[in-house]
Amino acid sequence: MNFDLTTADQTFLEKMAAVAAAVAADGQPAAGDVPEARAQAAAMLGRLAAADYLPLGLDEPAAERAVVALAAMETLATGASSAMLMAAMSTRLLGRAIAAWAGPPQREQWLSPLIEGRALGALGLSEASLNVENDPLETVARRDGDTIRLSGKKSFVINAPLADVFGVVGLIEDRPALFLLPGAEEGLRVGPRIRTMGHEGLWIAGLEMDDVSIAHEAVIEPPADIDLLDQLRCWENEVLIAQALGLMKAAYDTARDYAKSHRTGNKPIIAYQEVGFKLSEMLTLCQTAQLLAYRAVWTAATDPRAGRSLNWCAKVFCAEAAEKVAGEALRILGQEGYRAGSRAEAAYRAAKLTQIGGTSTEIARVKIGDAALGY
Ligand SMILES: Cc1cc2nc3c(=O)[nH]c(=O)nc-3n(C[C@H](O)[C@H](O)[C@H](O)COP(=O)(O)OP(=O)(O)OC[C@H]3O[C@@H](n4cnc5c(N)ncnc54)[C@H](O)[C@@H]3O)c2cc1C
């Protein structure tokens, strides 16, 4: 392991903390009203584009940039966790796939609007069972003269109701590929918004493609030695790892500040040994999770094979630590934490997605074991 954050990187991350605070102050994309939510999403993307956040880490394979990109996602998630996921699905997943595997004309047409903050993207990977580990993809494309026809369903797609660009993963001639679709396309239906237990600011919906016509230039097929589904899951895991780090930090900071300022029994509660111990355990988890996460993305960028196993290890550790730290924060915060809208209760609810999304913690454990056994 050999990485460091330069002075310029640290200045950039400080700037990102201010951007995250500004995004949070703008508020969550509004409930119920698609045009208003679209306008808020556009304003959020504008702020992130102006901060040079959106193209971060897309120019492979500089290892140092991988760590900075993760740290920047973590910083945004600390201040504005839902906005971080919205932006990540657009650029860190869809944009990253286009950057990695598309030719110059495709990059110009599809990637430039995403990284310049002019368009919001969504990535549809998971299907009805939502789990690409067990079941083959049922979204399938067939060649039809000059075009390609795509049919299938995706169940849970972040940004779907607001997106300008969709990346849909399906099979063509039995090989997985990424199909790019503009927001409004005949045969493409976006389902009703799905409400979730956390991330009230996210707009999530199912997608249905019924014989959607797609130009050949809008199909991205990675090289034969790339496992598309595995690679996308690995990148999605990095996003969820950064999300977990941000949630943990938000919960820890809130609990620490409260413990110093809230008094009972004529002293600040941090003076009670048990509260101090809790904070020290929370901080230890935050720091350990961060070290493992940075090591995982650095290794993935320098030695992808070794990086896979670390990616799963970091996913499991960070996702479980996030729930633990947020839960302990709620204990320290008492009634203040339990109040709807507190940062710690929002982090506690949001942490669950980091465990079930991407490679779930259960599946990741199986994969870590398989890798250790050399399968
Ligand atoms: C809020 C939210 C947003 C999402 N956004 C997107 C998105 O934008 N794009 C997208 O493509 N997907 C998205 N997803 C889907 C997500 O990435 C996962 O695929 C999905 O959450 C898995 O849920 P499931 O109910 O299908 O799990 P299931 O596969 O039904 O699993 C249920 C349980 O069984 C366990 N399990 C299943 N298979 C195995 C196995 N082989 N070994 C061990 N344990 C196993 C799981 O770990 C889990 O505990 C989103 C999900 C959520 C909740």
Side-chain angles (χ1 to χ4, degrees), residues 1-173:
M1 187 164 67
N2 178 20
F3 63 82
D4 203 356
L5 295 174
T6 63
T7 310
D9 293 336
Q10 282 164 11
T11 308
F12 170 71
L13 292 174
E14 279 163 24
K15 194 173 80 177
M16 274 312 302
V19 172
V23 168
D26 290 344
Q28 312 252 31
D33 184 339
V34 171
E36 198 183 330
R38 279 212 172 105
Q40 277 180 285
M44 181 267 289
L45 290 175
R47 283 194 188 278
L48 297 180
D52 293 329
Y53 171 86
L54 296 176
L56 250 191
L58 298 188
D59 39 1
E60 299 277 308
E64 299 79 18
R65 299 314 287 166
V67 176
V68 179
L70 185 85
M73 284 196 285
E74 170 192 353
T75 306
L76 183 57
T78 305
S81 59
S82 299
M84 178 274 198
L85 280 182
M86 284 179 81
M89 296 314 288
S90 186
T91 55
R92 295 294 305 163
L93 277 176
L94 179 58
R96 198 170 177 184
I98 299 171
W101 303 314
Q106 289 171 315
R107 286 174 65 111
E108 183 53 37
Q109 182 182 353
W110 300 98
L111 182 60
S112 298
L114 296 179
I115 60 178
E116 288 163 15
R118 292 184 280 117
L120 180 68
L123 183 83
L125 172 61
S126 314
E127 304 205 331
S129 84
L130 289 182
N131 190 331
V132 293
E133 307 292 334
N134 298 342
D135 302 312
L137 289 173
E138 288 180 5
T139 299
V140 175
R142 62 182 170 85
R143 298 191 195 276
D144 179 18
D146 284 347
T147 66
I148 286 172
R149 303 255 165 205
L150 181 73
S151 296
K153 286 183 189 165
K154 303 287 173 184
S155 303
F156 253 71
V157 182
I158 291 174
N159 294 342
L162 313 179
D164 307 291
V165 181
F166 291 95
V168 174
V169 181
L171 295 178
I172 182 158
E173 286 155 4

Side-chain angles (χ1 to χ4, degrees), residues 127-266:
E127 304 205 331
S129 84
L130 289 182
N131 190 331
V132 293
E133 307 292 334
N134 298 342
D135 302 312
L137 289 173
E138 288 180 5
T139 299
V140 175
R142 62 182 170 85
R143 298 191 195 276
D144 179 18
D146 284 347
T147 66
I148 286 172
R149 303 255 165 205
L150 181 73
S151 296
K153 286 183 189 165
K154 303 287 173 184
S155 303
F156 253 71
V157 182
I158 291 174
N159 294 342
L162 313 179
D164 307 291
V165 181
F166 291 95
V168 174
V169 181
L171 295 178
I172 182 158
E173 286 155 4
D174 292 332
R175 283 201 62 212
L178 181 64
F179 302 89
L180 300 174
L181 288 75
E185 193 71 346
E186 200 178 328
L188 172 69
R189 276 192 299 279
V190 178
R193 185 180 182 190
I194 299 168
R195 302 288 180 168
T196 50
M197 70 174 268
H199 285 299
E200 294 80 1
L202 279 184
W203 284 67
I204 302 174
L207 279 185
E208 201 168 331
M209 286 74 54
D210 185 11
D211 226 21
V212 178
S213 165
I214 295 178
H216 284 275
E217 306 78 66
V219 181
I220 295 184
E221 294 179 86
D225 61 336
I226 299 282
D227 180 336
L228 174 70
L229 303 183
D230 184 57
Q231 185 60 71
L232 289 175
R233 276 290 190 232
C234 176
W235 291 341
E236 190 180 11
N237 289 345
E238 288 185 1
V239 168
L240 293 169
I241 287 166
Q243 169 79 190
L245 294 181
L247 295 175
M248 255 183 272
K249 177 145 181 17
Y252 169 78
D253 287 352
T254 310
R256 180 205 53 207
D257 294 349
Y258 186 76
K260 285 184 190 168
S261 61
H262 178 66
R263 297 175 74 84
T264 177
N266 210 23

Side-chain angles (χ1 to χ4, degrees), residues 283-357:
L283 182 59
T284 306
L285 278 176
C286 290
Q287 299 276 3
T288 313
Q290 194 184 47
L291 273 179
L292 180 56
Y294 288 14
R295 180 165 179 226
V297 293
W298 181 83
T299 309
T302 49
D303 180 356
R305 200 176 147 79
R308 275 294 185 277
S309 196
L310 270 174
N311 176 277
W312 299 318
C313 293
K315 173 70 165 45
V316 170
F317 188 84
C318 297
E320 293 182 351
E323 182 180 338
K324 172 97 175 136
V325 170
E328 298 290 60
L330 287 179
R331 307 252 301 261
I332 292 174
L333 287 157
Q335 64 186 20
E336 276 311 301
Y338 205 71
R339 194 191 292 272
S342 95
R343 283 177 90 195
E345 72 87 31
Y348 188 68
R349 289 182 290 111
K352 222 53 203 169
L353 170 59
T354 67
Q355 298 167 7
I356 62 178

